[in-house]
Amino acid sequence: RLQDLELPPLGSYLSRFAPVRLNGGRLGIEGVATAGGDGDGFNARFTGRVNVAAFDLAETGTGSRLIQWTGLEVGGVEATLRPLGATVETVDVVEAGIQVIRDHEGRVNVIEFVDALGVGGLGDAATEGAGVPPVTIGKLRLKRCSGSLTDRTLTAPLTLGLDPVNGTVAGITTTAGGLAQVNLEGEVTTGGMVRMEGVLDPMELTRSSDLVVEARDVQLPPLSPVFVQVMGHPVMAGATRLDSDVTIARGSVVADNHLEADDLELGDKVAGEGLIDLP
């Protein structure tokens, strides 16, 4: 049993491999570890549970917080050295928040982080059977989580958020072609709700996904910076609903969309803005 191991002292080691700053986190482990030699050589196994509390990770490339959570509970862990791999029954993520930020230069913090790690080809590695050990997670449960997107390239910075986000992702696997079942729902912080359900390949989203996305009563005035850039007009009033069925197979996207806007009211033309010419 390991209780409340403070993680920030390990941050300097972690920063050698990734552009991150570890601001907080406490690790706990409870289980049974066995190790020894047999006719095939050395082997090791762990069964038990793992938790990480009060985690806070920042991305140093753009200077933004990457992800944080109150609690992460991993139950029913069984990991082996030979063959290398693991199965997990449940992962409970409590009050996690992720911030996606596009800075003034167009850099996106999450993409900068992934590129710096050099793991952009995880899907190919899984297909080739190299680089990614087989890992299976029975069910990932999100509880009172949140997410936000900030775009600072617009004339007026735009921030959209979902809070809270609840739901499950079941059947996650690193095996090539493995599909996870998604059922998530979140409230838009500026008004409205978004729901997503369907299946996707978590190791390569462009290889195989079939998702239904539904948005209801999403208020449009907070999207004014986008409307100004594209249409040249701010949004003074209005709400929208979206029903979208998106299928991705081998990099090809087929989407069936239905979009409605109620009581839409645009403001006066903004000089020098707008990619399209509207009456």
Side-chain angles (χ1 to χ4, degrees):
R1 174 182 291 181
L2 174 68
Q3 289 182 296
D4 294 330
L5 175 67
E6 293 289 345
L7 295 179
L10 303 176
S12 58
Y13 180 77
L14 181 62
S15 63
R16 295 172 55 189
F17 303 96
V20 295
R21 182 178 65 255
L22 186 56
N23 297 322
R26 299 190 305 273
L27 173 65
I29 300 174
E30 185 175 354
V32 176
T34 59
D38 54 30
D40 297 324
F42 180 80
N43 201 1
R45 175 185 298 271
F46 171 79
T47 59
R49 58 190 304 110
V50 178
N51 69 81
V52 180
F55 188 77
D56 188 345
L57 185 68
E59 189 271 323
T60 56
T62 59
S64 62
R65 172 182 282 173
L66 193 63
I67 189 170
Q68 57 83 29
W69 62 68
T70 299
L72 174 69
E73 296 280 345
V74 184
V77 179
E78 183 165 340
T80 57
L81 180 62
R82 299 179 58 186
L84 182 61
T87 60
V88 175
E89 291 180 3
T90 59
V91 177
D92 290 314
V93 184
V94 181
E95 295 179 343
I98 184 170
Q99 294 179 330
V100 180
I101 297 177
R102 186 184 186 197
D103 67 13
H104 296 91
E105 299 176 4
R107 298 179 303 171
V108 179
N109 62 341
V110 175
I111 296 176
E112 292 287 318
F113 172 70
V114 172
D115 286 347
L117 285 180
V119 296
L122 284 178
D124 294 336
T127 302
E128 296 166 5
V132 181
V135 176
T136 300
I137 301 173
K139 183 170 287 187
L140 170 68
R141 297 184 288 225
L142 303 182
K143 302 177 181 180
R144 304 184 302 281
C145 295
S146 63
S148 66
L149 168 65
T150 299
D151 190 343
R152 295 173 178 164
T153 65
L154 300 171
T155 303
L158 169 70
T159 296
L160 295 175
L162 292 174
D163 187 7
V165 177
N166 296 289
T168 61
V169 182
I172 301 172
T173 177
T174 60
T175 304
L179 296 179
Q181 184 72 40
V182 178
N183 192 334
L184 300 173
E185 183 171 304
E187 295 182 15
V188 183
T189 55
T190 52
M193 62 81 64
V194 177
R195 182 178 62 86
M196 177 186 298
E197 64 178 23
V199 296
L200 58 79
D201 183 344
M203 295 304 298
E204 187 60 70
L205 298 179
T206 61
R207 181 164 49 205
S208 181
S209 301
D210 189 354
L211 297 171
V212 174
V213 180
E214 176 186 2
R216 290 287 181 273
D217 299 322
V218 177
Q219 298 302 304
L220 292 176
L223 295 173
S224 273
V226 177
F227 276 76
V228 169
Q229 184 185 60
V230 177
M231 303 172 63
H233 295 262
V235 180
M236 309 307 293
T240 187
R241 61 168 289 183
L242 168 68
D243 294 299
S244 181
D245 190 345
V246 182
T247 301
I248 303 174
R250 297 182 180 180
S252 296
V253 180
V254 177
D256 184 10
N257 303 293
H258 179 81
L259 179 67
E260 294 182 8
D262 296 325
D263 302 319
L264 179 64
E265 180 182 342
L266 298 181
D268 295 335
K269 170 73 175 179
V270 178
E273 296 286 355
L275 302 177
I276 59 178
D277 186 21
L278 291 179

